[in-house]
Amino acid sequence: MNLPEAFEIKMKKLLGDGYEDYLKCFDEPRHFGLRVNTSKISAENFVKISPWPLKKVPWIHNGFYYDGEKYQPAKHPYYFAGLYYLQEPSAMTPADRLPVDPGDKVLDVCAAPGGKATELGARLNGTGLLAANDLSNSRAKGLLKNIELMGIGNVLVLSEEPGKLIPYFAEYFDKILIDAPCSGEGMFRKDRKMIRAWEEHGPEYFSKIQRSIITQAAQMLKPGGMILYSTCTFSPEENEQTIEYLLEQYPEFDVCEMDGYEGFSQGIPEVTVSADERLKRTVRIFPHRMNGEGHFLALLKKGSSKNTDDNSRRKSEDAAAKRNRKKLPGELEEFLSDIKREFDPERIDIRSDKVYYMPEGLPALNGVRFLRTGLLLGELKKKRFEPSQAFAMNLKKDEYPRILDLPVSDERVVKYLKGETLDVEDLVSAKDKGWYLVCTDGFPLGFGKLAGQVLKNKYLPGWRWQSA
């Protein structure tokens, strides 16, 4: 394995006698991971229906290894039902170790493509708010798809420079996750192209970005709130030294212990100027010590602060809550009346004929670039309401009265995912009509409109199954 000389020198100093073991891991196969979406199915129940052999990721409660050389979980209907997310095992750790509680307001600062945001959203389980941001608009579009695929509706998907969010969200969030852009040294084994990228933009380049992001995030965290900072690199400049910088700039922060695992390595205070012993509470993941790629994690808690403006924030929230108190269109009321779920009319927002169900307590966002606020319920079209793909994924089978539930082995499942019209005369009577929720093994895939025992396909074109 040809590694840059400067990188080799640094790693020998960092690992000492462990350096040779680190080099040996480059000859070992990579690890493929799958994280169960617990907002749709428990990890235990997924194991019972999994089409492939799974092996537990020992430090992640809903994480599993699978044989990525033999199986393709992304080409299975359960993937399209949002039952799992494909994610490298070490990358599951940051969202797992951030202690999210129901009702929390949570921000994922650099969220695309959504591996960590979707886990945070699953743990909120429809409560509170998940704000997922990515500066790249194109990457944010992929982030939005993954969030909707997982059935998460209490969302705000943004595409902004984090500093621009501070005036809107000053001391607003209970929990913040920062999976910071980094030099990617921990991914050299998984993706050899990362080595060339490292030679173009190394640790010094990224450490400046990371210091900016973490201090901006600090201003958006409530007193008593927590930040989980992570990278996929080994560089002290991007890891312990970034945390040292935060502690110097915001002394109200402290470093917290995380749930351990025998393969975790503690942080290294000696690589910093202050040699702050609290940095031992941070975690390093090395690929030669456990079955995952390289990562760094730091869990931080914010103490008291002088800068709070709860009154102005409440005003903005109150203004947002009053966005729409007019009577709802009859066709929308009729559709929602069939659903076994309570909808607060004051949280329903209609913009350009699109209907959204908004999270509670969302500030006014004039001037912010966003892709989605809340759950897109559907669209009003000439005195009729058409439910959205996102709404279908957010529903549970028992919440909607008209269901077409197909076994995963039924060839019509893949036909539906390809956008084809379905013959369903064996499932419905000649008089049945209207919107039906198509499921496989009880898990929603999308909507279709029934007429004459034929289902007109309404599966979102951009999501369709692509033949190999």
Side-chain angles (χ1 to χ4, degrees), residues 331-343 377 385-388 391-405 433-439 442-450 455 458:
E331 58 271 33
L332 174 60
E333 282 194 325
E334 181 182 1
F335 189 92
L336 295 182
S337 69
D338 278 343
I339 296 171
K340 297 177 183 176
R341 184 191 295 183
E342 292 293 325
F343 290 91
L377 297 178
F385 174 73
E386 292 195 359
S388 73
F391 195 11
M393 302 308 293
N394 183 255
L395 287 169
K396 301 290 191 290
K397 175 187 174 183
D398 58 3
E399 290 183 310
Y400 192 72
R402 293 177 293 281
I403 300 290
L404 293 175
D405 192 10
K433 61 181 180 179
W435 289 100
Y436 274 72
L437 184 64
V438 181
C439 302
F443 301 103
L445 295 171
F447 281 108
K449 200 160 189 182
L450 185 68
L455 187 80
K458 295 293 183 177

Side-chain angles (χ1 to χ4, degrees), residues 199-413:
E199 291 173 330
E200 294 177 3
H201 291 297
E204 184 179 350
Y205 171 83
F206 284 102
S207 66
K208 295 174 183 176
I209 298 172
Q210 292 150 0
R211 291 183 179 199
S212 175
I213 291 173
I214 199 170
T215 51
Q216 289 166 346
Q219 298 172 63
M220 292 187 276
L221 188 70
K222 290 179 181 177
M226 304 183 85
I227 286 178
L228 193 295
Y229 172 86
S230 69
T231 70
C232 57
T233 196
F234 304 123
S235 162
E237 299 98 309
E238 302 176 73
N239 295 334
E240 289 91 348
Q241 289 176 26
T242 297
I243 303 305
E244 178 187 46
Y245 179 78
L246 174 71
L247 297 175
E248 290 172 349
Q249 300 298 312
Y250 292 89
E252 65 267 30
F253 276 86
D254 196 12
V255 185
C256 302
E257 298 279 359
M258 277 177 276
D259 290 343
Y261 171 65
E262 61 183 359
F264 288 174
S265 301
Q266 67 182 21
I268 309 170
E270 295 77 17
V271 298
T272 67
V273 174
S274 66
D276 190 329
E277 287 291 301
R278 292 178 293 174
L279 294 171
K280 287 184 177 179
R281 302 171 197 162
T282 64
V283 168
R284 283 177 168 269
I285 296 176
F286 290 106
H288 61 290
R289 293 180 180 168
M290 52 197 293
N291 293 328
E293 306 305 326
H295 259 71
F296 172 85
L297 300 92
L299 182 62
L300 303 141
K301 186 168 184 177
K302 185 178 186 179
S304 61
S305 173
K306 298 177 182 178
N307 300 316
T308 57
D309 190 6
D310 289 335
N311 186 54
S312 65
R313 189 183 310 117
R314 277 195 296 270
K315 287 180 181 178
S316 67
E317 290 173 355
D318 290 344
K322 295 175 182 176
R323 62 173 61 85
N324 181 10
R325 292 187 175 176
K326 62 187 178 183
K327 181 175 172 57
L328 299 179
E331 58 271 33
L332 174 60
E333 282 194 325
E334 181 182 1
F335 189 92
L336 295 182
S337 69
D338 278 343
I339 296 171
K340 297 177 183 176
R341 184 191 295 183
E342 292 293 325
F343 290 91
D344 180 355
E346 292 187 1
R347 291 173 57 189
I348 293 177
D349 189 20
I350 301 175
R351 282 173 273 142
S352 301
D353 294 328
K354 287 186 169 59
V355 184
Y356 302 88
Y357 194 59
M358 305 294 285
E360 291 186 277
L362 194 65
L365 296 171
N366 297 332
V368 175
R369 188 169 58 169
F370 58 83
L371 282 74
R372 178 75 78 246
T373 52
L375 171 64
L376 175 61
L377 297 178
E379 192 170 358
L380 297 164
K381 292 185 175 181
K382 296 180 180 178
K383 296 297 180 181
R384 71 181 191 274
F385 174 73
E386 292 195 359
S388 73
Q389 180 69 41
F391 195 11
M393 302 308 293
N394 183 255
L395 287 169
K396 301 290 191 290
K397 175 187 174 183
D398 58 3
E399 290 183 310
Y400 192 72
R402 293 177 293 281
I403 300 290
L404 293 175
D405 192 10
L406 303 169
V408 74
S409 57
D410 192 317
E411 65 179 10
R412 288 175 293 187
V413 173

Side-chain angles (χ1 to χ4, degrees), residues 56-103:
K56 190 80 175 64
V57 175
W59 69 95
I60 304 293
H61 77 284
N62 58 336
F64 297 89
Y65 299 103
Y66 69 93
D67 186 343
E69 302 297 333
K70 188 174 181 180
Y71 303 105
Q72 292 184 296
K75 295 292 289 183
H76 192 279
Y78 288 163
Y79 177 83
F80 290 79
L83 300 193
Y84 51 83
Y85 188 97
L86 302 181
Q87 189 173 28
E88 191 279 315
S90 291
M92 300 177 189
T93 315
D96 184 84
R97 291 311 194 260
L98 181 62
V100 171
D101 299 312

